[in-house]
Every structure is written in structure tokens, then in C-alpha cells.
């Protein structure tokens, strides 16, 4: 087994075992455990579970890592691959002292500004719709929602594309560029992993497979990250941003026209 063809086992409780040929990593809710081969006494597949037993001093209870609810066939293949890569002679060490642990990334605190922003938009929008229906006509109130949706979609397109274009320009020049590791695919998105300069692990999702796995992140906030795109892709993003601006402008014009018509009575 080589580092280019890692074996991956996904088990209960988001536990993930990986073997790349040089070591085994175990990702759990408590963080990531890096287990070198020299620390492993043996790997045992038992049905839909895998146990990794560490080397232990004489008469000491060995440390065991267990992952359950995995594919039975994959568990057997994983155990066989690791066993085949273990050194012929087991070193007389305490395997647990060779295991390194990285804590999980702390979840970002909930930001109540999002709720306030939604409320700040929803209240005046509903009030304006009621005004158009009362001061104008019913069709004004219905047409308002069409114009509002066009405006909202335009703002989202322009905002998302404009933000990404700005990051593509700024972060490669003023940020830190790293090589990301392809992790897995989830809900139609490809997930990549990268570590910042402090060793903290982060993830990055994208809808397409990255041709280049280089990511650039903001050193002040490593979660702000972007992948590199070529010139044609950036031109396409710029066109989408311009389309979004046009949609937003057209929707706002339509809302303004409805308001003027309602005021005329």
C-alpha cells in the first residue's frame, strides 16, 4: 500500500481511520490521533469493527483503538494492509507515547448578527408589500415578490462571485498558500483538508475537483480560504457577477416603479 492509495474506513460517530503506508490516523470527535507503525502491536478485524492494539510494556494493559460499524470487507483489507506494513521486530517501547494528538478545530461562536440581519430585511420587506397591496392594487403586491426574488438572486450572485474574485486576487499575494489534501466527497461537494501554521486542521468545500490543490488562506483568519482558478474561469465569474448586478438593478427598478404607482393611487 502506498501513500498515493490510502485506505479509509468510516465508522460510528464520525470516526475515520486512514492508512497511507507510513502511519495510521484516527479522526474522532476528540481530534486526530497519528499512530506510527512502530507504535502498533497488531490490527484485528472482527466483523464490522477494527481494533488497533498498541505496543505495551510487559504486564501492562495495552491501549486499544476501536472503530465500529465499518464495511466488513474493508475492515479485513485494512487490517491485512497494516499488518503487512508493520516492522518485523517490535520495539520495546510504550506505543502510546509515540501517538500524537491534534485537538479538533473549535467551533465558531454563534453569530446573532445573522438573525438580526434577517429580521432587519424581513420586516421592511413585508411592510412594503402590505403598503403596495393597500395603497395600490393586489397585483402590485404580487408583482413585488417577483421583483424582490430577482433582486435577491442578483445580490447573491454578485456578492458570492465578487467576494471570491477579491479573495483570488488578494490571498495569493497577502495570504499563506498551502497544498490541500483531498479528503472525501459529501453531498455533491469535494472536501479538502489543510493545516495552518499553528497545525490546526481546517476543511474547504468546492463543487468541482480542483485541478491544482493549492489553497491560499488569510493568516488572520485561516478559515477564509480560496482555491486558485485560471484566467478563463475568473472571466466567467466576473460575467456572473455583472449579471447579478444587472438583475439586482433591474429588480430594484421594478420595486421603485411599483412604489411610485402605488403613491399615485
Amino acid at each position: 500500500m502506498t501513500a498515493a492509495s490510502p485506505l479509509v474506513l468510516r465508522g460510528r460517530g464520525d470516526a475515520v481511520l486512514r492508512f497511507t503506508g507510513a502511519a495510521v490516523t484516527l479522526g474522532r470527535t476528540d481530534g486526530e490521533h497519528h499512530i506510527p507503525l512502530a507504535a502498533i502491536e497488531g490490527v484485528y478485524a472482527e466483523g464490522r469493527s477494527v481494533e488497533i492494539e498498541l505496543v505495551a510494556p510487559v504486564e501492562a494493559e495495552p491501549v486499544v483503538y476501536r472503530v465500529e460499524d465499518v464495511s466488513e470487507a474493508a475492515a479485513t483489507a485494512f487490517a491485512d494492509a497494516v499488518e503487512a506494513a508493520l516492522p518485523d521486530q517490535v520495539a520495546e517501547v510504550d506505543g502510546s507515547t509515540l501517538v500524537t494528538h491534534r485537538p479538533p478545530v473549535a467551533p465558531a461562536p454563534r453569530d446573532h448578527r445573522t438573525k438580526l440581519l434577517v429580521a432587519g430585511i424581513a420586516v421592511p420587506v413585508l411592510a412594503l408589500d402590505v403598503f403596495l397591496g393597500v395603497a395600490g392594487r393586489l397585483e402590485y403586491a404580487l408583482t413585488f415578490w417577483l421583483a424582490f426574488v430577482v433582486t435577491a438572486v442578483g445580490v447573491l450572485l454578485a456578492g458570492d462571485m465578487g467576494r471570491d474574485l477579491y479573495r483570488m486576487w488578494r490571498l495569493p499575494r497577502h495570504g499563506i498558500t498551502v497544498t490541500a489534501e483531498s479528503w472525501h466527497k459529501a453531498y455533491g461537494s469535494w472536501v479538502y483538508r489543510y493545516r495552518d501554521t499553528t497545525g490546526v486542521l481546517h476543511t474547504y468545500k468546492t463543487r468541482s475537483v480542483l485541478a491544482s490543490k493549492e489553497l491560499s488562506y488569510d493568516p488572520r483568519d485561516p478559515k477564509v480560504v480560496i482555491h486558485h482558478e485560471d484566467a478563463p474561469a475568473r472571466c466567467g465569474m466576473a460575467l456572473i457577477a455583472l449579471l447579478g448586478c444587472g438583475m439586482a438593478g433591474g429588480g430594484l427598478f421594478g420595486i421603485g416603479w411599483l412604489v411610485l404607482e402605488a403613491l399615485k393611487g
Side-chain angles (χ1 to χ4, degrees):
M1 184 57 57
T2 66
S5 303
L7 282 175
V8 180
L9 291 181
R10 300 187 181 279
R12 181 186 304 171
D14 294 331
V16 181
L17 268 176
R18 286 184 174 81
F19 175 56
T20 61
V24 174
T25 59
L26 171 60
R28 301 189 303 196
T29 55
D30 62 343
E32 184 181 81
H33 303 262
H34 181 83
I35 311 171
L37 294 181
I40 300 176
E41 172 72 30
V43 181
Y44 312 103
E46 299 178 357
R48 298 187 61 196
S49 66
V50 172
E51 285 189 351
I52 299 177
E53 181 179 324
L54 302 187
V55 179
V58 179
E59 298 183 355
E61 187 72 21
V63 175
V64 176
Y65 294 100
R66 183 180 179 89
V67 177
E68 299 178 332
D69 288 346
V70 300
S71 163
E72 185 170 350
T76 301
F78 189 93
D80 290 344
V82 179
E83 284 283 349
L86 292 179
D88 295 332
Q89 294 184 347
V90 179
E92 295 182 0
V93 296
D94 184 353
S96 62
T97 62
L98 302 179
V99 177
T100 57
H101 172 254
R102 293 185 182 277
V105 179
R110 293 186 177 181
D111 192 353
H112 297 289
R113 290 178 297 180
T114 302
K115 296 180 180 179
L116 293 176
L117 178 62
V118 171
I121 294 175
V123 171
V125 165
L126 292 174
L128 182 57
D129 185 54
V130 172
F131 165 77
L132 292 174
V134 174
R137 294 183 296 183
L138 178 60
E139 51 264 35
Y140 287 0
L142 297 176
T143 306
F144 164 79
W145 287 110
L146 175 61
F148 176 77
V149 169
V150 172
T151 302
V153 171
V155 169
L156 289 175
L157 287 177
D160 287 347
M161 294 297 104
R163 178 201 61 199
D164 287 348
L165 284 170
Y166 173 72
R167 289 179 177 177
M168 287 179 187
W169 172 84
R170 180 180 178 277
L171 292 182
R173 293 170 174 80
H174 305 285
I176 297 175
T177 299
V178 295
T179 300
E181 173 192 2
S182 180
W183 193 13
H184 66 280
K185 188 176 182 181
Y187 306 106
S189 295
W190 292 92
V191 183
Y192 294 82
R193 301 193 305 178
Y194 64 98
R195 295 187 187 277
D196 59 28
T197 54
T198 64
V200 176
L201 186 67
H202 303 275
T203 59
Y204 175 73
K205 293 183 180 180
T206 178
R207 289 288 181 181
S208 58
V209 180
L210 300 184
S212 171
K213 295 181 181 179
E214 289 187 351
L215 303 178
S216 296
Y217 67 86
D218 190 334
R220 297 171 299 180
D221 186 359
K223 294 185 295 297
V224 177
V225 62
I226 197 69
H227 67 271
H228 300 178
E229 291 280 14
D230 54 17
R234 293 196 299 270
C235 289
M237 294 172 64
L239 290 175
I240 295 176
L242 290 175
L243 174 63
C245 290
M247 292 176 63
L252 289 174
F253 177 82
I255 292 174
W257 181 86
L258 290 173
V259 172
L260 289 177
E261 290 297 313
L263 290 174
K264 291 178 182 178

